[in-house]
Amino acid sequence: MATSGDYRIYFERDGARYCHEIDPATGCPIRHGLASVTVVAPDCGYADAMATALIVLGPEKGHALAAARNLAAHFIVREGNGLREFATPAFAALGGDLAAG
């Protein structure tokens, strides 16, 4: 299991949040509301790589890729002053409280 997120290594300037996750398409830090992605896989290195890829892709494209590849992935998105959680079917099949989001 591995998690990638923007909630620990970041700074804010002029109301904008900048994190260490870089979008290779722009060369800039990601600029969407996806705060965290956790991936469960048999190999931790693969889980880490996929968690990073999914957070860079963002909530919609990341979830679509994870679902298409049958990855067990859990997403946390900032919405307004709160958070919204959702997961792929493979993650939900693992059971437990996190799968309910």
Side-chain angles (χ1 to χ4, degrees), residues 1-2 37-41 63 66 70-75 85-101:
M1 178 169 66
V37 178
T38 298
V39 173
V40 179
H63 185 269
N70 199 32
L71 292 175
H74 181 262
F75 297 76
E85 300 180 52
F86 56 96
T88 61
F91 190 91
L94 298 175
D97 291 338
L98 284 177

Side-chain angles (χ1 to χ4, degrees), residues 49-100:
M50 291 309 299
T52 300
L54 297 176
I55 198 163
V56 168
L57 285 172
E60 293 83 17
K61 290 180 181 177
H63 185 269
L65 176 65
R69 291 183 176 244
N70 199 32
L71 292 175
H74 181 262
F75 297 76
I76 301 175
V77 180
R78 283 186 196 81
E79 289 188 346
N81 292 328
L83 299 171
R84 178 174 60 97
E85 300 180 52
F86 56 96
T88 61
F91 190 91
L94 298 175
D97 291 338
L98 284 177

